[in-house]
Amino acid sequence: MNIKSKGKLRGYKEGFRKGFSLIEIAIVLVIVSILLGLGIRSCISGIETAKIDNTQDKLLNFKTFILRNFCKTGNLVKKKEIDSYYLKDAWNNDIELIYALDTNDSNPCSLKTTSLSVILPSGNEVKDVVAVILSPSANRVLDSNVSLNKVEVKNDDLWEYITLYEIKTQCCSNKGISILTDSLPPIVEGENYDITLVATGGKPPYKCDVTSENSTVESFFKNHLVQGSEAFPYCKIVFSEDDSKDFISLLSSSEVSINLEVKDSSNPPFLASRNYLITVIRRKL
């Protein structure tokens, strides 16, 4: 009996396995924590990369939308007219839309240059920009240079911009307006004057303005301009017999020079201008 008991006890001891030491457990925990840390960082990095890609795609779609709308309508869309989807980035921050100040009064197709430029992180400057679409980096406030029509983008910003060249090459062929009135007839003292200023292209009706180096001439023509309307889209210069007498009495020369500027009803408008030299004929006493 004793021999069997010893045999069983000996077999039990041989099958016994010792547990992990504290050092081994600590090493395992360190390895697990490192792996978890790498996994979390990788996950966070993946989420951040996805947000960057999502926002960059949104900015590109925003740019495409502005270009397509302008090519179709001749109008630069305002922020309030844009789907709210485009106005927030993946971090739920506002996306900024900045237009060149020149486009407030003139259609880009009529411009030869713009005052807006973009300073890239490399330091290079992109000039003649029509619009900047910007997702500023966290906690960034756009500086005062924006009001001066210069936008400096940082390394952490996401952006797209539209140049005047892109607008003109993609959207401006067969667009714009032209003044068809080649010359203006003489102003004869004591006679009525009623001239239609014919324009074509763009979106009627047309609005006109006159400038001149002679302030008397400029003031007179401005006061006798009739703007286009839905009923009659063209501008006119109209004044009476007495008006012609009064006007000529103020002149010392036999010719007057004016510059006519015509805008259509697009928003912003297309623009055309033309210079005229008008003969003044005085009645002999």
Side-chain angles (χ1 to χ4, degrees):
M1 292 293 293
N2 290 336
I3 294 174
K4 289 182 179 179
S5 297
K6 288 180 180 179
K8 288 181 179 180
L9 183 59
R10 185 169 55 250
Y12 172 77
K13 287 182 178 180
E14 288 175 353
F16 178 78
R17 292 290 181 267
K18 184 174 66 172
F20 293 108
S21 69
L22 291 176
I23 294 176
E24 291 171 327
I25 293 173
I27 292 172
V28 170
L29 290 175
V30 169
I31 293 172
V32 170
S33 64
I34 291 173
L35 292 175
L36 284 174
L38 291 173
I40 291 172
R41 280 197 293 273
S42 177
C43 182
I44 292 174
S45 176
I47 293 172
E48 194 69 11
T49 299
K51 286 185 175 182
I52 291 172
D53 291 343
N54 174 273
T55 300
Q56 196 66 63
D57 287 344
K58 185 176 288 190
L59 295 176
L60 183 58
N61 289 335
F62 200 160
K63 172 181 176 176
T64 302
F65 173 74
I66 292 173
L67 279 170
R68 285 180 177 173
N69 184 79
F70 181 80
C71 290
K72 183 178 179 180
T73 67
N75 298 331
L76 290 172
V77 294
K78 304 302 181 186
K79 202 169 181 179
K80 63 182 180 181
E81 301 170 340
I82 297 170
D83 191 307
S84 59
Y85 167 80
Y86 291 109
L87 301 180
K88 293 287 185 181
D89 61 19
W91 298 270
N92 204 36
N93 297 320
D94 289 338
I95 290 177
E96 303 291 342
L97 174 60
I98 305 160
Y99 282 124
L101 294 177
D102 318 64
T103 63
N104 292 336
D105 301 313
S106 300
N107 193 289
C109 290
S110 301
L111 296 174
K112 294 182 179 179
T113 185
T114 75
S115 58
L116 180 61
S117 63
V118 177
I119 309 297
L120 301 177
S122 62
N124 293 331
E125 183 175 5
V126 181
K127 296 184 177 181
D128 295 333
V129 175
V130 171
V132 179
I133 308 154
L134 179 67
S135 170
S137 54
N139 301 320
R140 180 186 171 188
V141 178
L142 295 181
D143 58 36
S144 59
N145 278 338
V146 172
S147 64
L148 301 176
N149 249 7
K150 183 173 289 188
V151 179
E152 183 176 354
V153 294
K154 308 294 185 181
N155 281 318
D156 293 336
D157 294 336
L158 299 175
W159 71 89
E160 289 286 346
Y161 54 80
I162 301 171
T163 64
L164 186 60
Y165 176 80
E166 289 177 286
I167 288 276
K168 283 182 172 288
T169 54
Q170 295 185 39
C171 304
C172 294
S173 59
N174 301 321
K175 286 185 181 280
I177 61 175
S178 300
I179 300 172
L180 300 183
T181 301
D182 292 325
S183 61
L184 296 180
I187 300 173
V188 181
E189 185 179 6
E191 292 188 6
N192 294 328
Y193 200 83
D194 190 337
I195 301 300
T196 299
L197 305 169
V198 181
T200 185
K203 182 181 178 182
Y206 303 101
K207 303 298 180 185
C208 300
D209 191 23
V210 169
T211 57
S212 174
E213 293 181 356
N214 185 319
S215 59
T216 300
V217 172
E218 180 174 318
S219 177
F220 178 82
F221 277 92
K222 282 181 180 291
N223 290 333
H224 292 87
L225 265 178
V226 179
Q227 303 296 339
S229 64
E230 294 296 335
F232 188 79
Y234 308 115
C235 301
K236 300 181 75 174
I237 300 174
V238 180
F239 48 87
S240 67
E241 297 174 4
D242 290 338
D243 290 330
S244 66
K245 289 180 181 179
D246 293 339
F247 176 56
I248 290 177
S249 69
L250 299 173
L251 301 176
S252 58
S253 64
S254 59
E255 291 179 328
V256 294
S257 176
I258 65 170
N259 177 264
L260 174 68
E261 183 179 273
V262 179
K263 294 181 180 181
D264 75 339
S265 297
S266 301
N267 183 26
F270 290 103
L271 172 68
S273 62
R274 193 160 190 166
N275 291 313
Y276 294 99
L277 189 63
I278 308 171
T279 301
V280 174
I281 300 177
R282 291 176 169 82
R283 292 288 190 185
K284 293 182 179 180
L285 297 177

